[in-house]
Amino acid sequence: MVSWQFGMGLAVAAILSGPAGSLAQDPAPGLEMAQAAAPDEPLDREPLSESGAPADGALPAANTNASDTAGGPLSVDAMIAGLAALNITYSVDETVVREWLANADYTPYPAVASRLIAFLHGRRLANPLDLDVIVFDYENTPNIQSPRKIEDVQEAVLSAALLKGYNTRYSASARVLADIAK
């Protein structure tokens, strides 16, 4: 298990599982644009080993499951705090976001939020970006299904959604996550 420490004492842990390189080896239809916008190794990560785990063992694999320190799924409070630590905000009332984050059966928000927390590895976006914009851009990627489980969130598509949302909001031209996350 790998864990990250966020401000105000919030610890987020991730359980490593699944093949990390499967997206790059067997892309789904319609991912070409997302993969071009987001290289296989965003944020200057170390290369993955053949088993799918990072070669140095320090970073979570692509199918990382974000969880609380007890090993279960992140609570709504933990997701809100984890997203805030990443500079991810929302454009709707927090009550609405909390309802979305509590409803994994009918919304993609818990899966996307948990994946963002694990995927960005505690790095913070240079400027705020709304979760609902990220989810909208993710779900509007051609040939991509709305995820309900963290393992259904595809990192290349998530990277492209982050970049699209950021570039649109800030009239920027970032091409890789390292341009927007420090």
Side-chain angles (χ1 to χ4, degrees):
M1 184 175 330
V2 177
S3 64
W4 297 274
Q5 185 73 32
F6 294 103
M8 300 186 305
L10 173 69
V12 177
I15 301 169
L16 304 180
S17 65
S22 61
L23 180 61
Q25 295 168 3
D26 186 25
L31 284 182
E32 294 82 15
M33 187 171 112
Q35 287 174 323
D40 291 336
E41 296 299 328
L43 299 174
D44 302 322
R45 284 196 252 173
E46 292 295 318
L48 299 174
S49 68
E50 287 189 20
S51 69
D56 66 357
L59 300 174
N63 285 334
T64 299
N65 293 312
S67 61
D68 64 18
T69 55
L74 288 175
S75 69
V76 171
D77 288 338
M79 283 188 267
I80 293 284
L83 292 168
L86 300 173
N87 211 7
I88 296 175
T89 56
Y90 26 89
S91 65
V92 298
D93 186 68
E94 183 176 326
T95 306
V96 174
V97 173
R98 286 180 170 280
E99 289 173 8
W100 292 342
L101 289 172
N103 192 346
D105 292 332
Y106 296 104
T107 76
Y109 285 84
V112 171
S114 295
R115 174 62 83 207
L116 280 165
I117 292 165
F119 179 61
L120 290 175
H121 310 296
R123 296 178 191 221
R124 185 172 172 83
L125 296 178
N127 294 300
L129 187 58
D130 294 332
L131 176 63
D132 39 308
V133 170
I134 297 166
V135 171
F136 177 85
D137 288 339
Y138 185 98
E139 289 188 299
N140 283 286
T141 302
N143 301 313
I144 297 299
Q145 292 185 349
S146 181
R148 295 297 182 265
K149 297 183 286 188
I150 191 171
E151 58 267 16
D152 295 338
V153 179
Q154 298 177 32
E155 285 189 359
V157 178
L158 186 59
S159 294
L162 281 162
L163 289 166
K164 181 178 180 182
Y166 193 92
N167 287 340
T168 300
R169 181 169 182 176
Y170 297 106
S171 299
S173 57
R175 296 180 52 116
V176 295
L177 287 177
D179 292 342
I180 66 171
K182 308 295 179 205

